[in-house]
Amino acid sequence: MDEQTAEVSTSQAVRKAMIRLVPFLGLLYLLNYLDRVNVGFAALTMNADLGISSAAYGLGAGLFFVGYFFFEVPSNVILHKVGARVWIARIMVTWGIVASATAFIQGEVSFYIVRVLLGIAEAGFFPGIILYLTYWFPRKQRAKIVALFFLAVPLSSVIGSPVSALLIQNGEGVLGFDAGWRFMFFAEGVPSILLGVAVFFLLPNRPKDAKWLTPVQRTSLQSAIDAEDTREVGKEVSTRSALTDPRVLALSAVYFGIIFGLYVLAFFLPQVIKGFQQQFQTTYSVVEIGLITAIPYAVAAVAMVLWARHSDRTGERAGHVAIAAFVGAVSIAVALYLGSPLLVMIAVTLCAVGVFTAIPVFWQLPNAFLTGVGAAAGIGLINSFGNLSGFVGPYLTGWLQGLTGSFRAGMWAVAFFMAMAGFIALSFRRKEQNAIK
């Protein structure tokens, strides 16, 4: 096959893969993210029903990430060895079962248990998909591809927030459930189980397994990815080397700061909006809170794709991450001193933009020096340490709210950790460029 024919075939294969894989994977992640954060809407009525305090809720919301943390790296290494088709299907079916089982919790202890089990069940899904995308798409397009995939997160709030609110508002008595939040948990877990079964039959592990590619396209795409990894990354490193690489540890700290902001917004934004009633003398129904919550995520979805495309065009990564993190930090700090619901929501929207625009570009940084099983381990470690902030953030925010009666201290914590992420990303920019050279 001559070079020009191979390039055309690769381009055609990439387009087909983008159309076939990205929407499907995005749908899976939409359900994944919704099943872990719908507890934020359940809290509007669940906490009172079960007598759960703000601190206990924050602890339970965050305990998800304890199970997630310990099983993340092993799960990603297993995915690399057995293939995405089998392992992603297993992850989805088990998390769907646990998510639906949340409908039956009776108090703080059962709430804590089911959140830990949900984290164990989900461990490996997101980093596994990030790894899986490296098997299919050339480096110069990956930020855009990850951004399109990651659209599932803001869309899960744009779509899921009103849906969750409607299920809570109208679910009491349906299927015998005594509260709408119970029906919501049960109903939103079922699609994950069904799609997990579909993954087993529909998801090809590598380009060579895709029946919807021609033989020439399979060969050219696989060869292009392999050649690029050899040329730009070099030798595949071991799991141990990846886990002890200082660059991996630095990126773990950056991701910790970014994800701190993501999950504080996810778990507490509905309650912050509900608090406008006391702060600004406003009144919103559960459905209205859901619609207002969706606004920052809708704006962030558009900004995320545009920022990722800009990063792909310029080839610059770390600076894009730093700028986005600083935008998030400054805007959430400013939000604490604004005098109307509209102005506060504008600032919160800018914070969401900062969080979401940072993430797709961020995942191109470890891909610059990791491949193979080293990438599986390194990406898993970064994601597990980063998502540890999913425990620290909700617990700390809930504890501070219970201590002070306000979310202000929790929002200052978001500003601090996102600023930290920005500064580390700036220092990493020089290290990353030297490593590539």
Side-chain angles (χ1 to χ4, degrees), residues 258-430:
I258 296 169
I259 298 301
F260 192 100
L262 175 68
Y263 284 114
V264 168
L265 288 177
F267 290 134
F268 286 97
L269 183 55
Q271 295 182 64
V272 170
I273 295 170
K274 185 179 180 180
F276 288 169
Q277 180 172 348
Q278 180 178 357
Q279 185 178 1
F280 300 114
Q281 290 73 55
T282 60
T283 302
Y284 302 115
S285 69
V286 172
V287 173
E288 287 172 333
I289 291 173
L291 292 172
I292 295 170
T293 300
I295 294 171
Y297 295 96
V299 176
V302 177
M304 179 175 63
V305 174
L306 295 177
W307 195 239
R309 285 181 174 177
H310 185 268
S311 177
D312 278 342
R313 283 199 305 270
T314 61
E316 202 284 327
R317 307 299 190 187
H320 280 71
V321 174
I323 291 171
F326 289 139
V327 167
V330 172
S331 57
I332 201 63
V334 169
L336 301 173
Y337 300 96
L338 299 175
S340 76
L342 175 61
L343 293 176
V344 171
M345 287 308 298
I346 290 173
V348 169
T349 298
L350 287 174
C351 180
V353 167
V355 169
F356 282 96
T357 53
I359 292 172
V361 181
F362 169 84
W363 282 112
Q364 309 321 302
L365 296 175
N367 289 337
F369 59 89
L370 294 173
T371 187
V373 70
I379 290 171
L381 184 69
I382 291 167
N383 197 62
S384 61
F385 268 101
N387 277 288
L388 192 60
S389 65
F391 169 75
V392 176
Y395 178 69
L396 180 61
T397 303
W399 180 77
L400 290 171
Q401 196 277 336
L403 183 68
T404 65
S406 167
F407 285 105
R408 176 168 289 189
M411 297 306 104
W412 268 116
V414 172
F416 170 79
F417 282 107
M418 290 199 69
M420 176 200 73
F423 283 115
I424 296 176
L426 283 179
S427 66
F428 184 84
R429 182 183 182 184
R430 293 187 294 272

Side-chain angles (χ1 to χ4, degrees), residues 136 204-211 213 217-219 221-222:
W136 286 86
N205 287 325
R206 302 263 186 167
K208 64 181 181 180
D209 304 314
K211 295 180 180 178
L213 293 177
Q217 289 169 348
R218 289 178 213 150
T219 302
L221 179 57
Q222 190 67 65

Side-chain angles (χ1 to χ4, degrees), residues 127-249:
I129 297 298
I130 294 297
L131 179 66
Y132 180 73
L133 292 174
T134 68
Y135 300 158
W136 286 86
F137 297 101
R139 293 169 183 275
K140 64 180 181 181
Q141 297 173 311
R142 284 182 192 167
K144 178 185 72 175
I145 295 297
V146 173
L148 291 172
F149 162 68
F150 205 74
L151 276 174
V153 173
L155 286 178
S156 73
S157 295
V158 172
I159 298 170
S161 296
V163 169
S164 295
L166 285 169
L167 291 174
I168 292 172
Q169 184 167 287
N170 301 293
E172 184 176 351
V174 179
L175 299 180
F177 288 108
D178 62 1
W181 60 266
R182 293 187 187 276
F183 176 69
M184 180 207 68
F185 279 129
F186 182 82
E188 291 185 349
V190 171
S192 299
I193 300 171
L194 299 177
L195 278 175
V197 175
V199 164
F200 183 79
F201 295 100
L202 298 178
L203 195 68
N205 287 325
R206 302 263 186 167
K208 64 181 181 180
D209 304 314
K211 295 180 180 178
W212 36 265
L213 293 177
T214 68
V216 172
Q217 289 169 348
R218 289 178 213 150
T219 302
S220 60
L221 179 57
Q222 190 67 65
S223 298
I225 298 294
D226 292 343
E228 190 178 60
D229 285 343
T230 300
R231 181 177 65 254
E232 299 196 20
V233 179
K235 184 180 178 182
E236 179 178 329
V237 299
S238 67
T239 297
R240 181 177 179 180
S241 296
L243 296 180
T244 56
D245 191 316
R247 294 169 295 180
V248 170
L249 301 179

